[in-house]
Amino acid sequence: MTTARAHANIALVKYWGKRDEKLFLPTNGSLSMTLDGLYTTTTVELAERDELVLNGETQGPEALGKVTRLLDLVRAMAGSKAGARVTSINQVPTAAGLASSASAFAALAGAASKAYGLALDDVALSRLARQGSGSASRSIFGGFVEWRRGERADGLDSHGVPVVPQSHWDVRMLVTVLETAPKSVSSRVGMRRTMDTSPYYPGWIASAAADLVEAREAVLARDLAGLGAVMESSALKMHASMLAARPPFTYLQPASLAVIQAVWAWRAEGLAGFVTMDAGPNVKVLCAATDAEELAARLGALPGVEEVLVCGPGPGLSYEVS
Ligand code: FM0
């Protein structure tokens, strides 16, 4: 029986689109910040057949199927036919509406590989987690993390690499939780549709490699304004490409746009926050640790904002001994 914990991450340069859907190989490299405070804890014990219990509730075939797919990869490496009972708890405040697939598949990769007797290094774990959910490849590592696109058709060179550790930079990611309905288009379906139909998708891809270089350098130099500029550009180009898809779709809600415009207005007055958004309505705001309290208070007072979570850089995958 093995228990592993992995933290959520927020992409500063986004992943949106796969060049290989089966192996989860991305069309471009991405870069993220791992978050403290938000994590998934997963226990794996070998059993007669696969079973998934998430936050105390036994899951049906859809969620279990994704877990079984990852377990099959582990079983193939370990030469085992045993089933596994997977018990997982998401430490993400309820109603946060935050995607948990990154922390979930990173924790599963760690716990399952150990439970089946494998001793995988972090790069191998990242490749494995990637095949559960692309963004999970980044949650194996702490601090700021790059997911390399890779060139190989077999995906061996497509995995996370640490850029700087958790201690490198005292910034905060403020996660606004908006009062809205759950997302209608999954990221998997949304990225597929954008790639297939949006005339803006090639433009997004054309600038992604340069964005990655710029973001990596800004992180290394602790340049908040520089990182903020490229981070906003990466996110909004991605969302613009979705608006141009057929049929069109967007994760931007009226309250999302109101938060973005408020952050821009405060920035013009000298309070430096920078926005990003993923496949849901919540807006995340990057800022210096010293500005987090003021910005969180202002964000919390905006109409439609239910809650603001304040996250610093978080740690990589860890294990609990039981
Ligand atoms: O995190 O189809 O990993 O880079 O969050 O499971 O591989 O859930 F804004 C969107 C995450 C995409 C950007 O996609 O997709 C990012 C996104 P999967 P994911």
Side-chain angles (χ1 to χ4, degrees):
M1 178 156 138
T2 312
T3 300
R5 173 196 287 200
H7 285 244
N9 74 76
I10 300 292
L12 311 170
V13 173
K14 301 296 184 187
Y15 146 58
W16 194 251
K18 299 179 183 73
R19 66 179 203 275
D20 183 322
E21 287 196 334
K22 193 167 171 286
L23 290 174
F24 288 73
L25 301 180
T27 41
N28 64 288
S30 55
L31 190 146
S32 61
M33 173 176 150
T34 303
L35 304 183
D36 67 3
L38 308 181
Y39 55 88
T40 301
T41 307
T42 297
T43 301
V44 174
E45 15 177 0
L46 301 190
E48 198 127 309
R49 69 180 72 85
D50 291 349
E51 189 190 344
L52 172 64
V53 180
L54 178 56
N55 293 335
E57 286 181 25
T58 302
Q59 302 295 300
E62 205 190 319
L64 179 62
K66 291 179 185 165
V67 165
T68 289
R69 261 196 84 248
L70 197 99
L71 291 172
D72 284 343
L73 297 173
V74 175
R75 286 189 277 254
M77 281 190 267
S80 168
K81 287 189 161 55
R85 180 181 158 85
V86 178
T87 313
S88 197
I89 300 203
N90 268 334
Q91 295 292 352
V92 177
T94 43
L98 293 170
S100 55
S101 66
S103 56
F105 281 104
L108 179 63
S113 58
K114 268 210 173 177
Y116 281 91
L118 297 170
L120 302 183
D121 63 18
D122 282 348
V123 163
L125 285 169
S126 176
R127 285 190 204 108
L128 177 62
R130 186 198 78 216
Q131 294 173 78
S133 187
S135 54
S137 65
R138 302 184 306 239
S139 275
I140 297 295
F141 300 96
F144 289 79
V145 183
E146 182 177 334
W147 171 16
R148 293 210 173 126
R149 176 192 186 278
E151 299 298 331
R152 295 172 60 116
D154 63 8
L156 279 177
D157 56 355
S158 185
H159 55 77
V161 285
V163 176
V164 291
Q166 202 184 346
S167 59
H168 171 78
W169 200 8
D170 204 15
V171 290
R172 296 291 179 270
M173 190 68 82
L174 311 179
V175 181
T176 65
V177 180
L178 305 181
E179 297 155 355
T180 54
K183 68 176 167 183
S184 49
V185 182
S186 74
S187 49
R188 207 155 295 182
V189 169
M191 62 177 78
R192 176 87 229 222
R193 190 189 300 170
T194 312
M195 275 186 87
D196 288 349
T197 68
S198 175
Y200 294 174
Y201 189 77
W204 144 257
I205 288 306
S207 59
D211 286 353
L212 187 60
V213 171
E214 198 179 327
R216 192 196 303 123
E217 280 170 10
V219 166
L220 289 169
R222 300 188 188 87
D223 172 6
L224 184 63
L227 180 61
V230 67
M231 162 186 143
E232 288 195 343
S233 174
S234 175
L236 293 172
K237 279 181 289 196
M238 179 183 82
H239 288 279
S241 73
M242 298 174 206
L243 282 167
R246 273 195 173 200
F249 66 106
T250 186
Y251 298 109
L252 272 154
Q253 294 286 326
S256 319
L257 196 53
V259 169
I260 291 171
Q261 290 186 314
V263 169
W264 286 347
W266 298 332
R267 199 161 82 214
E269 294 164 8
L271 183 60
F274 300 88
V275 298
T276 189
M277 266 180 73
D278 297 288
N282 297 329
V283 179
K284 292 94 175 187
V285 182
L286 182 72
C287 66
T290 45
D291 288 332
E293 201 181 331
E294 171 70 21
L295 262 170
R298 290 194 193 190
L299 289 165
L302 292 175
V305 176
E306 198 164 278
E307 197 182 354
V308 181
L309 313 172
V310 180
C311 301
L317 183 73
S318 63
Y319 294 96
E320 285 168 23
V321 184
S322 55

